[in-house]
Amino acid sequence: MDSAFTVLATPGQLTAHKVYEVLRDHSGGPLEFDRILTKLGDEQIAGSTLAQEQLLEALLRDDRLRSARGYRQRFSMSGRSIRLRPPGNRAELAIEQENEQVKEQLLKQLREVPPEVFEHIVADLFTAMRYEDVKVTRRSKDGGVDVRATLVAGGVMTVPTAIQVKRWSKPVTVKEVRELRGTLRAGTQGIIVTTGKYTKDAPKEAPG
């Protein structure tokens, strides 16, 4: 993923990635919200205003995250339709290449800090991402969860979030994803943040 350290995708990020794939398969769009929801397999709620608003929120959050990481936004929205933004110009591509070099340097530094320092860095990251009540947990006291936070969606819905932090060079596997899921309370979303990568099957296990 496009970051100095990677975050196992949240449901909103997975939705944004699926929308990107749908639009890419349709020459970049535009496509109306209800058609996108239908292609995502949500045909029964495709006409729901709430479902469309949740889709819009997921895409706007994806754009904000990409902007914060120094990447171009992927989506362009007009009325009730969405399309992919065109490829960037030379200046934008040069900036992204420079950002990649900086992030590689940052990743090297992150792998060298003590694990407890990295946990606080991740907590600061989620605070910057507008999560609320972000707290680093007491070590070995919370079932492997290192940071807890609350996602406020649309200003009305709160989602408790359990974050596991892995300052690793090796990849995160399905095993770690399942272990985190096993610690989650009802209604809580789990996120894994790592300085490593993920095996091919690990992200597929996340939505289950």
Side-chain angles (χ1 to χ4, degrees), residues 26-205:
H26 285 76
S27 303
L31 286 177
E32 293 76 19
F33 282 59
D34 56 349
R35 288 190 62 192
I36 290 175
L37 286 167
T38 298
K39 291 182 178 299
L40 291 178
D42 295 331
E43 186 172 358
Q44 292 183 342
I45 61 172
S48 163
T49 300
L50 177 59
Q52 294 181 20
E53 290 299 328
Q54 290 174 337
L55 175 62
L56 175 61
E57 175 63 27
L59 301 186
L60 290 174
R61 176 173 289 274
D62 179 80
D63 278 349
R64 289 196 298 268
L65 290 177
R66 289 183 65 84
S67 293
R69 296 168 182 168
Y71 288 86
R72 292 184 305 109
Q73 297 179 349
R74 294 194 288 184
F75 304 106
S76 177
M77 286 155 258
S78 177
R80 307 306 295 177
S81 66
I82 308 167
R83 69 179 308 144
L84 294 181
R85 291 183 181 274
N89 56 39
R90 289 186 177 181
E92 290 174 326
L93 294 176
I95 291 172
E96 288 191 2
Q97 290 174 356
E98 177 66 21
N99 286 339
E100 280 296 328
Q101 294 177 4
V102 172
K103 288 171 183 177
E104 284 300 319
Q105 296 171 2
L106 177 58
L107 179 57
K108 181 179 179 181
Q109 294 173 2
L110 288 171
R111 285 176 174 161
E112 294 174 352
V113 302
E116 60 271 17
V117 173
F118 186 44
E119 291 172 5
H120 283 276
I121 292 173
V122 171
D124 289 342
L125 168 67
F126 278 83
T127 298
M129 290 165 59
R130 300 184 182 180
Y131 280 70
E132 298 182 359
D133 303 323
V134 181
K135 297 179 182 178
V136 176
T137 64
R138 294 178 60 188
R139 298 187 66 79
S140 302
K141 295 292 184 180
D142 207 1
V145 174
D146 302 300
V147 179
R148 289 198 176 273
T150 301
L151 170 64
V152 180
V156 294
M157 183 174 65
T158 60
V159 182
T161 303
I163 304 158
Q164 196 170 83
V165 178
K166 295 190 178 298
R167 196 206 55 175
W168 285 6
S169 56
K170 64 180 181 179
V172 173
T173 70
V174 169
K175 175 177 178 290
E176 287 78 40
V177 178
R178 287 176 177 169
E179 287 176 349
L180 175 59
R181 286 175 53 195
T183 69
L184 299 180
R185 305 164 187 163
T188 300
Q189 71 168 344
I191 299 176
I192 295 177
V193 180
T194 179
T195 52
K197 296 183 181 297
Y198 298 94
T199 61
K200 182 178 179 180
D201 293 334
K204 297 178 183 178
E205 182 73 18

